[in-house]
Amino acid sequence: MTTNAEESQTRPRRRAPAGAAVLREDVTEAIRAAVFEELAAVGYARMSIEGIARRAGVGKTAVYRRWRSKLHLVLDVVSAIAVMGLPVPDTGSLEGDLRLLYEVTSRALRHPVASQIIPDLQAEAARNPDIAEAMQKTLREGQEGVASKIIEAAQRRGELAEGLDDDLAMDLISGPLYWRSVVIRTPKLPKGYLAALARGTTEALKAL
């Protein structure tokens, strides 16, 4: 009769899980970074799994083990931006919070890579509903998650009335800078523009 100890010694060892269970995070991050670089360099239409793998320094198999297509890879990377979000300003005033938000957002939107990727994905979104949905998630949730907290803080301080029209408030906060930086793509914002925008948006929100 064998003991439990003897059984454990004779029982074949289970092999460590393979595939997705042992994917290396550093490789995953290298691929995500390569997607941004490839999008900026060639655009979505010309982007390929081969190009992404080459830029990341991995084989195509490493990419396909994580994402089954170029579309799913781009959707994952774009959606991740919304999750990352922006820092919530805490300056003690509505105008100060808006000014800081605009400064951070302006730097992000005018980054050389972002300024190339966003317009390209917007054009692709007009043809692809999946990308359109991911872009909406990125642009709305990332910005509005912060903007809503700024409004809530201003309401607690008594700077804004309760019961604001949320959609209109978000449009007032996010619309002008997005229009300038992404739609008409002004090469350089006029001196004092962000301070004036924060001041004007503050007064507009108080008037709601």
Side-chain angles (χ1 to χ4, degrees):
M1 184 175 180
T2 59
T3 65
N4 290 340
E6 290 171 332
E7 287 180 357
S8 64
Q9 292 175 351
T10 58
R11 187 181 300 132
R13 293 183 178 180
R14 298 181 62 184
R15 297 180 62 183
V22 292
L23 295 179
R24 287 173 48 186
E25 186 61 27
D26 60 329
V27 173
T28 302
E29 290 307 311
I31 295 171
R32 287 196 173 109
V35 171
F36 282 108
E37 295 172 4
E38 194 74 358
L39 277 170
V42 303
Y44 178 82
R46 294 174 55 198
M47 188 179 76
S48 66
I49 295 297
E50 291 81 357
I52 293 169
R54 184 167 54 251
R55 194 178 288 272
V58 301
K60 289 192 298 182
T61 303
V63 180
Y64 281 119
R65 288 176 69 191
R66 292 161 172 82
W67 299 276
R68 63 178 183 268
S69 70
K70 177 178 79 170
L71 174 60
H72 288 89
L73 173 53
V74 172
L75 291 179
D76 175 62
V77 171
V78 171
S79 298
I81 301 173
V83 177
M84 289 164 54
L86 296 166
V88 179
D90 185 19
T91 65
S93 73
L94 175 58
E95 184 176 334
D97 287 352
L98 289 174
R99 171 70 182 274
L100 185 55
L101 173 65
Y102 290 149
E103 289 175 352
V104 173
T105 304
S106 178
R107 285 197 297 270
L109 290 176
R110 297 167 72 83
H111 186 279
V113 174
S115 64
Q116 289 177 281
I117 289 175
I118 294 176
D120 181 66
L121 288 178
Q122 284 181 317
E124 198 64 35
R127 299 182 288 269
N128 189 315
D130 291 326
I131 291 182
E133 182 179 354
M135 286 293 291
Q136 182 181 36
K137 180 182 179 67
T138 296
L139 296 174
R140 291 183 66 87
E141 290 189 8
Q143 182 81 5
E144 291 183 5
V146 176
S148 63
K149 290 181 173 60
I150 290 176
I151 290 175
E152 291 169 3
Q155 289 172 329
R156 287 195 299 270
R157 290 191 298 262
E159 293 181 272
L160 293 178
E162 300 289 339
L164 291 179
D165 183 326
D166 290 339
D167 288 336
L168 181 54
M170 296 302 169
D171 289 344
L172 286 171
I173 292 174
S174 303
L177 183 56
Y178 182 79
W179 172 263
R180 277 271 190 171
S181 300
V182 178
V183 180
I184 63 174
R185 304 181 73 179
T186 303
K188 185 177 181 180
L189 294 176
K191 184 177 181 180
Y193 176 80
L194 295 180
L197 179 60
R199 185 165 56 252
T201 304
T202 297
E203 295 305 315
L205 289 170
K206 290 179 177 180
L208 292 182

